[in-house]
């Protein structure tokens, strides 16, 4: 007697994954920094730009336009969602099973600021920070259709600078008083997002994928300049010039990929993604006041000189695009004959920061381009050698920064990384599960002796990609 019954084994509890992901998003998105960061360049635009690509892509110089992988989520290009791993039912076009991916990551950053032409210990400042990178969940909906959602930071504002100076009479040139000016800023932006990608067969061994992501970009800016006079005989009240703003709106970006299978293992992919110019709705508070500082109470207002709250306005977020090419050769697992694989890609990106406006005003920003080159090497897999199953990645990028204060700000970075698979026991009941730990290393140099400050950034990123077949239909006789 033949009994046909559809059974969904508990490989992954989809509802449970969604609950855990949502809780993780709320927790890490508001996780405070482990130590104070300080980057004066975060004063401009909407703040210091946070990496917009996955840790895997960062390890390869940031190449992402043509990147696809069955065990990680390339959230930079939503067209890649169409390549989430899926399996059809026997003798049926319906989806029999699909691989769900939960991808999370954190970043440790160490930043060093140096004065130009000053390599002494006195002329530098070092700060470190621990921040979350991303949380993203991806699932296949059909054999050619995928869905992904999550949250990631977009930019960050964090600076604190003190200037002490002697004031002189502009006519006589005699000394008057001393003054101390504290400039500080805080804030940043996040974007929860949901995206989908679908692919279509256009010719033999050729596919076109298109994708779109919708998100809500929201954030805040809090800038303050506190100035105090230092006098031995006369007490002056300190002044605070502060501007606070919050902003947000729906945000869209889109992407495409065209894949050509040259043979059973070698493929070439042309990819592109980007966003068009978009408008963010903002609300601003402008505060001018005198104050005093108390160690217990902090900054305490004495008198309000001027205050205007809930000023409505717009922030114009510029358009950007990235185009790239990737050549990929898959490893070969064929009995005793095993061969390694590799991938090599190049991207070019541009952002129109000249169009950025904050309440109709321009800022010290300029159009930016960036060239990225990177790749990945996978040795011939050997069951007796763990390191032969590790992915090795490297790359670099170069291009001027979008900040333009006095002189152009050159920037370049060198990257490297590895993908460490966690091996499942052979007697494991969850043989379809696959966990990958991704480590990424980035060294970024910003500015030179022609700029006001040189900035060196070392970033260590740790990500974990957990995946399993989330829906399996089995037939029992």
């Amino acid at each position: 007697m033949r009994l046909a019954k559809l059974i969904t084994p508990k490989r992954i509890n989809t509802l449970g994954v969604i609950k855990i992901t949502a809780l993780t998003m709320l927790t890490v998105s508001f996780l405070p920094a482990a130590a104070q960061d300080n980057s004066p360049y975060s004063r401009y635009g909407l703040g210091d730009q946070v990496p917009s690509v996955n840790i895997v892509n960062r390890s390869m110089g940031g190449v992402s336009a043509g990147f696809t992988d069955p065990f990680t989520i390339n959230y930079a290009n939503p067209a890649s969602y169409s390549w989430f791993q899926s399996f059809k039912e026997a003798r049926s076009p319906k989806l029999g099973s699909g691989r769900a991916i939960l991808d999370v990551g954190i970043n440790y950053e160490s930043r060093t600021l140096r004065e130009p032409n000053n390599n002494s210990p006195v002329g530098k400042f070092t700060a470190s920070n621990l921040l979350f990178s991303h949380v993203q969940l991806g699932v296949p909906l059909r054999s050619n259709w995928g869905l992904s959602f999550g949250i990631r930071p977009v930019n960050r504002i964090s600076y604190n600078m003190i200037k002490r100076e002697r004031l002189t009479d502009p006519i006589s040139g005699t000394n008057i008083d001393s003054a101390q000016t504290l400039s500080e800023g805080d804030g940043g932006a996040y974007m929860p997002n949901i995206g989908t990608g679908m692919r279509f067969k256009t010719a033999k061994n050729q596919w076109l994928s298109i994708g779109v992501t919708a998100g809500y970009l929201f954030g805040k800016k809090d800038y303050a300049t506190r100035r105090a006079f230092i006098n031995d005989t006369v007490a002056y009240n300190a002044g605070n010039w502060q501007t606070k703003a919050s902003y947000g709106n729906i945000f869209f970006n889109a992407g495409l990929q065209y894949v050509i299978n040259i043979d059973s293992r070698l493929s070439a992919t042309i990819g592109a993604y980007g966003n068009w110019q978009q408008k963010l709705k903002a609300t601003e508070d402008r505060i001018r006041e005198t104050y005093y500082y108390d160690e217990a109470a902090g900054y305490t207002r004495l008198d309000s000189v001027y205050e205007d709250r809930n000023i409505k306005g717009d922030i114009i977020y510029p358009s950007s695009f990235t185009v790239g090419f990737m050549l990929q050769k898959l490893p070969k697992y064929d009995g005793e004959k095993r061969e390694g694989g590799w991938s090599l890609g190049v991207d070019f990106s541009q952002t129109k920061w000249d169009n950025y406006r904050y309440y109709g005003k321009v800022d010290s920003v300029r159009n930016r381009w960036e060239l990225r080159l990177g790749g990945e090497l996978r040795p011939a897999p050997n069951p007796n050698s763990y390191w032969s199953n590790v992915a090795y990645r490297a790359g670099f990028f170069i291009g001027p920064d979008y900040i333009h204060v006095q002189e152009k700000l050159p920037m370049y970075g060198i990257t490297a990384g590895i993908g460490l698979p966690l091996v499942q026991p052979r007697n494991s009941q969850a043989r379809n599960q696959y966990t990958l730990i991704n480590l990424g290393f980035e060294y970024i140099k910003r500015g030179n002796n022609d700029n006001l400050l040189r900035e060196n950034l070392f970033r260590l990123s740790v990500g974990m990609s957990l995946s399993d077949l989330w829906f399996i239909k089995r037939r029992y006789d």
Side-chain angles (χ1 to χ4, degrees):
M1 178 180 178
R2 181 169 176 169
L3 177 63
K5 186 177 181 180
L6 299 180
I7 299 178
T8 305
K10 296 182 179 179
R11 296 292 188 187
I12 277 188
N13 186 325
T14 308
L15 183 59
V17 168
I18 294 175
K19 290 180 179 179
I20 293 173
T21 305
L23 180 61
T24 306
M25 288 178 186
L26 293 174
T27 301
V28 300
S29 61
F30 299 102
L31 182 68
Q36 183 178 353
D37 194 10
N38 193 353
S39 176
Y41 289 124
S42 68
R43 157 65 181 81
Y44 304 97
L46 291 180
D48 226 7
Q49 299 295 295
V50 175
S52 59
V53 298
N54 193 294
I55 294 172
V56 173
N57 304 104
R58 282 183 236 162
S59 302
M60 301 193 302
V63 292
S64 54
F67 178 84
T68 60
D69 186 271
F71 302 110
T72 58
I73 302 175
N74 176 14
Y75 49 80
N77 190 344
S80 65
Y81 301 161
S82 67
W83 291 97
F84 288 152
Q85 192 176 50
S86 61
F87 305 95
K88 293 182 180 180
E89 291 183 13
R91 299 180 299 277
S92 171
K94 295 181 179 179
L95 183 68
S97 62
R99 182 169 295 279
I101 308 171
L102 176 61
D103 202 325
V104 298
I106 58 173
N107 300 327
Y108 170 79
E109 297 182 355
S110 178
R111 191 186 307 268
T112 300
L113 301 171
R114 289 186 180 273
E115 297 177 358
N117 298 305
N118 187 349
N119 292 320
S120 67
V122 179
K124 75 172 184 178
F125 174 83
T126 301
S128 58
N129 225 343
L130 183 65
L131 300 165
F132 109 97
S133 170
H134 64 276
V135 178
Q136 202 77 19
L137 178 69
V139 293
L141 302 178
R142 294 288 186 272
S143 59
N144 64 335
W145 181 22
L147 174 75
S148 180
F149 63 90
I151 188 171
R152 62 178 180 86
V154 178
N155 52 57
R156 186 174 73 254
I157 301 170
S158 180
Y159 66 90
N160 188 300
M161 300 176 292
I162 297 177
K163 179 182 179 181
R164 296 181 178 90
E165 58 185 331
R166 290 288 296 177
L167 304 179
T168 59
D169 189 309
I171 299 176
S172 64
T174 58
N175 292 331
I176 303 175
D177 279 317
S178 297
Q180 175 177 289
T181 304
L182 170 64
S183 300
E184 56 185 356
D186 181 63
Y190 292 87
M191 187 169 69
N193 63 86
I194 183 169
T196 185
M198 184 174 290
R199 74 175 186 266
F200 308 90
K201 190 171 185 178
T202 58
K204 184 179 180 180
N205 298 325
Q206 298 183 29
W207 291 267
L208 172 66
S209 299
I210 58 174
V212 64
T213 296
Y216 189 81
L217 178 60
F218 69 96
K220 68 172 186 176
K221 298 174 63 171
D222 187 352
Y223 295 163
T225 301
R226 303 181 185 272
R227 190 172 177 85
F229 292 99
I230 304 171
N231 190 286
D232 295 334
T233 58
V234 180
Y236 295 97
N237 290 330
N240 176 35
W241 292 258
Q242 189 168 11
T243 301
K244 300 179 180 180
S246 59
Y247 54 87
N249 208 348
I250 298 175
F251 194 88
F252 294 95
N253 72 329
L256 60 87
Q257 291 180 330
Y258 196 85
V259 179
I260 302 173
N261 282 349
I262 301 172
D263 58 34
S264 60
R265 295 176 56 203
L266 186 64
S267 65
T269 303
I270 300 173
Y273 64 87
N275 65 271
W276 49 93
Q277 181 174 294
Q278 298 174 62
K279 184 183 295 185
L280 307 176
K281 299 296 182 180
T283 301
E284 185 178 74
D285 296 338
R286 300 169 185 169
I287 302 168
R288 311 293 183 258
E289 62 186 359
T290 58
Y291 73 94
Y292 73 93
Y293 180 78
D294 181 82
E295 291 186 358
Y299 294 109
T300 303
R301 173 184 287 188
L302 289 174
D303 187 22
S304 174
V305 179
Y306 169 82
E307 187 171 339
D308 195 358
R309 295 186 178 273
N310 298 320
I311 304 170
K312 304 297 182 183
D314 296 324
I315 300 175
I316 303 301
Y317 195 91
S319 62
S320 69
F321 72 88
T322 299
V323 295
F325 173 80
M326 178 160 283
L327 196 63
Q328 184 178 32
K329 188 171 187 178
L330 298 176
K332 184 177 182 180
Y333 308 87
D334 186 13
E336 297 297 327
K337 189 176 182 180
R338 299 170 182 262
E339 297 180 13
W342 51 266
S343 61
L344 182 65
V346 59
D347 279 6
F348 176 83
S349 68
Q350 187 173 56
T351 305
K352 298 289 188 178
W353 280 105
D354 279 353
N355 297 329
Y356 171 80
R357 295 293 184 273
Y358 178 80
Y359 278 72
K361 298 178 181 178
V362 299
D363 203 347
S364 299
V365 295
R366 62 188 298 274
N367 291 344
R368 185 194 184 196
W369 63 266
E370 188 173 81
L371 180 66
R372 310 164 189 157
L373 178 66
E376 178 184 75
L377 177 64
R378 292 180 178 269
N382 184 343
N384 299 319
S385 173
Y386 172 80
W387 295 104
S388 69
N389 295 280
V390 172
Y392 301 89
R393 308 171 181 123
F396 75 92
F397 62 86
I398 189 171
D401 197 11
Y402 76 107
I403 297 171
H404 190 191
V405 182
Q406 293 185 347
E407 299 292 336
K408 293 181 180 179
L409 195 65
M411 184 163 62
Y412 69 85
I414 302 172
T415 70
I418 54 177
L420 303 170
L422 295 185
V423 180
Q424 290 281 358
R426 293 187 177 182
N427 59 352
S428 172
Q429 296 298 314
R431 296 182 180 180
N432 293 317
Q433 291 183 359
Y434 185 78
T435 301
L436 188 66
I437 297 177
N438 294 302
L439 302 180
F441 310 90
E442 300 169 78
Y443 174 76
I444 302 171
K445 187 175 179 62
R446 196 178 196 181
N448 54 32
N449 287 328
D450 295 331
N451 303 115
L452 296 175
L453 283 173
R454 292 179 295 159
E455 184 177 277
N456 295 339
L457 174 66
F458 173 76
R459 181 185 294 122
L460 169 63
S461 302
V462 181
M464 180 174 287
S465 176
L466 306 95
S467 66
D468 198 354
L469 298 185
W470 70 287
F471 181 73
I472 302 176
K473 293 182 178 181
R474 291 183 176 175
R475 185 180 299 275
Y476 293 86
D477 294 330

